[in-house]
Amino acid sequence: MIKRLLINHLFLLFFILILSACSTNRQAVTKGSKTLTETIDQRFKHAGTQYKLLMEDLPGDKLPKTFVKANNYLETSGPDWWTSGFYPGTLWSLYEETQDSALLKEAKRTLKLLSKQQTNEKLADLGAIMYNSFGTAMKIDPELSYQKALLNSAKTLVKRYNPKVKAIRSWDTRQNDKEFVVVIDHLMNLELLFWATHATGDSSYYKVACNQAETIWNNHVRPDYSTCQIVTFDTKSGKVKHKRNAQGYNDESCWSRGQAWALYGFTSLYRETKDPLYLEYAEHIATFILDNPNLPKDKVPYWDFNAPEIPNTYRDASAAAIMAAAFLELSGYSVENGKSYFKAGETMLETLASPEYTALLGANGGFILMHGAGYIPVMAEVDVPLPYADYYYIQALKRYKVLTQSGSGVNASFKFP
Ligand code: GLY
């Protein structure tokens, strides 16, 4: 009996020793690991070094599109591809954070490449392309030529507006006279139009932007606040002909990047108008994301919230980066939910900043983030770096820096980068 008690006590002692060793270890890890705030400037530096490697391989008249690891190939585009504004915009932001003149030189060089697009009436993404590049430059080092490029782009873009549909035409089709396509992605054109009204006092741009937002809210956003990507209207009557998804899993599913564009778009609508309706819209979109059982704990979404293969399918770092930037901004506007939006944005950023998503120096063709999902249904740009993932990641890091350094975390009343 005594022997058994002794053994039991020894066993208990051993167990306590193991537990306390584990807890000492855990403390050591916590003490040793640095927070995102503590490492944020290193992250900008790392990103700047990556982009200096990326620029070495870039042909003079091209912009980076993605990197194919299997054959070490940098895929590029011309300046009229929808992603062309992100590389210059990221360079400007990284220059602002690091003051590295090589980044500034490349940023200015690539703006020149884009300049001709300001009169391109066929470019449905003109607003996003020009605002993310020239618009970012204007915030950092304004020049008259940038202002002219932005204003001309706004004038060009509104030529695609249809007052019956109350939206800007997204894609040109052979059926232009009969069909009028509007995609949720093009909420991202609207910041340029607000900028144009602020710059000129002409409210017509502002009205077009609000009308387009309303058209998208009424037609692309479903009753459960998920979104569909494409709505086709009758060009003459403005009536809805059909709704579908191209980049999502199927017509009823919720494509994650589309949901991210909606979150970012309606948040920016609230920023520009201060109309509480847009805050309400953004919060409904946010609730769909945060309450979705298919959103992983680390908060980087799968490429579609309804992909049947979840959890055995691709994540989309670009959707997470866009959402992170939007959640951090939204955290400053929502009195009720600010803290949970901040936490969501922070978790997304922490995951993206981890080695799981951030490439090692010199890897990933010079892009910053890995694991983006471009167009999964046609297996194009699958599990790759994407320039828009990098752009919104850097923007989110900048927002996080401002929010955490302001000491408030939520409800801050400063200008968001
Ligand atoms: N077409 C824009 C996107 O892929 O998000």
Side-chain angles (χ1 to χ4, degrees), residues 179-230:
E179 295 194 334
F180 193 95
V181 175
V182 181
V183 299
I184 196 146
D185 328 17
H186 286 158
L187 273 171
M188 305 310 284
N189 274 328
L190 306 185
E191 284 177 292
L192 174 71
L193 302 184
F194 287 113
W195 179 90
T197 288
H198 294 315
T200 62
D202 177 350
S203 62
S204 64
Y205 300 106
Y206 186 106
K207 284 182 191 144
V208 167
C210 292
N211 286 350
Q212 168 124 358
E214 211 50 36
T215 296
I216 289 184
W217 177 261
N218 290 332
N219 296 286
H220 296 66
V221 181
R222 306 184 181 112
D224 66 351
Y225 306 115
S226 67
T227 50
C228 102
Q229 186 186 12
I230 307 166

Side-chain angles (χ1 to χ4, degrees), residues 64 133 141 148 151 184 235 238 250 275 293 345 397 409:
S133 53
D141 187 15
K148 281 187 181 157
L151 198 51
I184 196 146
T235 306
N250 67 18
D275 183 337
L397 275 183

Side-chain angles (χ1 to χ4, degrees), residues 93-299:
S93 289
L94 289 175
Y95 162 68
E96 190 184 26
E97 292 295 335
T98 62
Q99 296 299 306
D100 187 327
S101 59
L103 298 169
L104 178 63
K105 194 170 164 216
E106 178 72 348
K108 289 188 170 179
R109 184 189 75 79
T110 50
L111 283 192
K112 287 200 189 109
L113 285 183
L114 295 191
S115 187
K116 262 196 188 152
Q117 302 308 316
Q118 58 189 278
T119 52
N120 185 349
E121 293 177 20
K122 294 211 171 307
L123 199 46
D125 303 277
L126 188 62
I129 292 174
M130 300 305 263
Y131 189 76
N132 293 332
S133 53
F134 284 91
T136 308
M138 273 301 285
K139 289 183 211 163
I140 296 167
D141 187 15
E143 271 191 23
L144 196 59
S145 65
Y146 304 161
Q147 187 166 347
K148 281 187 181 157
L150 287 168
L151 198 51
N152 283 336
S153 303
K155 283 184 191 157
T156 305
L157 184 67
V158 292
K159 290 185 184 162
R160 299 175 70 86
Y161 183 72
N162 175 329
K164 278 277 182 207
V165 179
K166 290 193 188 313
I168 291 164
R169 186 191 287 282
S170 287
W171 299 334
D172 289 306
T173 67
R174 265 176 300 180
Q175 298 264 24
N176 263 7
D177 52 333
K178 293 199 176 78
E179 295 194 334
F180 193 95
V181 175
V182 181
V183 299
I184 196 146
D185 328 17
H186 286 158
L187 273 171
M188 305 310 284
N189 274 328
L190 306 185
E191 284 177 292
L192 174 71
L193 302 184
F194 287 113
W195 179 90
T197 288
H198 294 315
T200 62
D202 177 350
S203 62
S204 64
Y205 300 106
Y206 186 106
K207 284 182 191 144
V208 167
C210 292
N211 286 350
Q212 168 124 358
E214 211 50 36
T215 296
I216 289 184
W217 177 261
N218 290 332
N219 296 286
H220 296 66
V221 181
R222 306 184 181 112
D224 66 351
Y225 306 115
S226 67
T227 50
C228 102
Q229 186 186 12
I230 307 166
V231 179
T232 302
F233 299 86
D234 182 283
T235 306
K236 291 216 168 72
S237 71
K239 291 216 167 79
V240 174
K241 290 181 86 166
H242 46 84
K243 302 185 182 192
R244 67 185 182 92
N245 267 333
Q247 283 166 269
Y249 169 69
N250 67 18
D251 291 345
E252 282 73 47
S253 74
C254 181
W255 171 48
S256 300
R257 197 163 56 254
Q259 195 74 7
W261 293 137
L263 183 72
Y264 195 108
F266 289 123
T267 302
S268 66
L269 258 288
Y270 178 69
R271 180 211 310 141
E272 300 298 340
T273 65
K274 291 290 174 278
D275 183 337
L277 202 60
Y278 294 123
L279 181 57
E280 214 179 286
Y281 293 175
E283 296 215 57
H284 282 310
I285 300 287
T287 303
F288 177 89
I289 296 167
L290 296 180
D291 288 357
N292 196 291
N294 283 338
L295 183 70
K297 272 209 172 63
D298 65 18
K299 301 223 178 329

